Amino acid sequence: MVRIRIFEEEAGKLMENGKVPGALHLYVGQEAVAAGVMVNLNDDDQITSTHRGHGHLVAKGGEFKPMYAELFGRSTGYCKGKGGSMHISNLDVGMLGANGIVGAGPPIAVGAGFSNKYRGTKQVAATFFGDGASNEGAFHEAANMAALYKLPVLFVCENNGYGEYTSQANHQAIKDVADRAAGYGMPGVIADGMDAVAVYEATAEAVARARSGGGPTLLEFKTYRFYDHVGVRGMGMAYRTDEEVAAWKKRDPIVLLEERMASLGVMSREEAKAVHERVKTDAAEGIAFAEASPFPTPDQLTEDVYYVR
């Protein structure tokens, strides 16, 4: 969680200072979901991500140097500088890709889940998406097929209350996305997305069910993004109040977990602070590596873009 937070905080500064091209959709505030889910997955389990995908890749094992290099568009990035923020991926850790198309991840995860079942592996595919994406046809088609064939798929809804700038109440008539699970014949589970332990426990049951042949589960984690839809300062659109943001920040998932660990004697505040300092060093080294890396050359433009027999 700390690695996600610091990676994103530094990435936000780079975007605001014009050092990285394009738009970044930061994951700050939602770290408990990625961490709580991913700690239940094995290295060879697959995930699909969203336009807000840095946190998912960090939690799945992504390294800072190739991640920052990808944001800078450098040839040392995970996608050799051709994917950028919204299409970053690393197949070596089972990350099938972030995706700039809302709702595009679930069908990809269902394909991976079908392959896992067909090949007789115990691998699980998890797809992350938001409350807005649960309105897309692709989500419903994927949920139907996954339930029909009892595929080992986790549908992980990160319900942060907004589809871009539209509140959930203004884009769907339900409060709980998990209610939609019943329409496809799969369990729908709701948990506190600001509580890493709650996310971990809910996901553990869903993963066990998927690996044992029980089929998919729709997990809905109630969470919140601390920054705007895009970047840190955002687009200047007034769609949520300062009071609402402040109230959610009081439930910062990292602060909550560190307080819990300190009270249980698992990790002291000094030890937690040392973790933050080590990660800041990793981030600084990752940014320096990215800035010193070369851009792809024009003759590399189509390399790794098209399949060549």
Side-chain angles (χ1 to χ4, degrees):
M1 292 169 66
V2 173
R3 288 184 67 80
I4 296 172
R5 175 67 58 89
I6 292 176
F7 180 92
E8 292 290 67
E9 297 278 10
E10 295 301 319
K13 294 175 188 175
L14 293 169
M15 175 189 166
E16 298 293 338
N17 292 330
K19 290 192 172 183
V20 297
L24 303 185
H25 303 78
L26 302 174
Y27 196 72
V28 174
Q30 300 184 199
E31 296 91 345
V33 180
V37 169
M38 237 65 83
V39 75
N40 282 287
L41 301 182
N42 299 327
D43 290 345
D44 62 352
D45 290 324
Q46 306 100 343
I47 65 167
T48 68
S49 184
T50 68
H51 54 279
R52 203 176 305 285
H54 307 161
H56 302 143
L57 179 51
V58 171
K60 195 66 170 65
E63 298 291 336
F64 280 3
K65 289 181 178 178
M67 287 192 67
Y68 278 122
E70 192 57 40
L71 300 191
F72 275 85
R74 306 304 172 96
S75 62
T76 54
Y78 271 134
C79 303
K80 301 183 180 179
K82 300 170 188 173
S85 169
M86 284 194 281
H87 298 95
I88 194 169
S89 66
N90 180 13
L91 299 182
D92 291 339
V93 296
M95 207 286 197
L96 304 183
N99 205 311
I101 306 300
V102 174
I108 298 172
V110 167
F114 186 89
S115 172
N116 295 340
K117 184 167 184 175
Y118 183 79
R119 292 181 293 115
T121 73
K122 293 295 184 182
Q123 291 167 276
V124 169
T127 178
F128 293 85
F129 57 95
D131 45 297
S134 72
N135 298 331
E136 297 286 340
F139 161 77
H140 295 281
E141 294 172 28
N144 181 64
M145 182 170 286
L148 175 65
Y149 293 114
K150 294 189 179 301
L151 301 181
V153 176
L154 307 183
F155 291 86
V156 183
C157 179
E158 297 180 285
N159 187 350
N160 61 23
Y162 292 88
E164 295 192 355
Y165 304 99
T166 305
S167 69
Q168 185 186 3
N170 286 327
H171 73 69
Q172 56 189 197
I174 57 174
K175 291 184 178 179
D176 298 323
V177 174
D179 287 350
R180 293 185 163 167
Y184 300 103
M186 72 172 82
V189 179
I190 301 171
D192 182 358
M194 309 303 272
D195 181 344
V197 176
V199 174
Y200 168 79
E201 291 177 343
T203 305
E205 290 188 19
V207 169
R209 183 170 183 271
R211 292 201 200 283
S212 65
T217 300
L218 172 54
L219 297 163
E220 179 183 7
F221 298 118
K222 308 286 190 181
T223 185
Y224 201 79
R225 56 175 158 78
F226 290 171
Y227 291 142
D228 213 329
H229 171 59
V230 176
V232 175
R233 289 175 294 185
M235 306 293 286
M237 298 177 68
Y239 62 99
R240 55 185 193 177
T241 65
D242 292 342
E243 290 76 15
E244 178 184 298
V245 176
W248 277 94
K249 284 185 175 179
K250 289 181 179 177
R251 300 201 66 244
D252 186 317
I254 295 176
V255 173
L256 291 178
L257 185 59
E258 289 179 346
E259 289 178 345
R260 187 172 187 173
M261 290 192 296
S263 67
L264 295 173
V266 175
M267 175 180 278
S268 68
R269 298 185 188 281
E270 291 71 25
E271 290 171 326
K273 184 178 180 181
V275 170
H276 286 252
E277 294 305 315
R278 286 200 301 272
V279 176
K280 287 179 181 176
T281 299
D282 287 348
E285 292 176 354
I287 293 169
F289 170 82
E291 290 183 307
S293 294
F295 286 104
T297 56
D299 63 296
Q300 295 173 326
L301 181 63
T302 60
E303 285 184 8
D304 306 309
V305 176
Y306 302 102
Y307 176 72
V308 179
R309 292 189 177 186

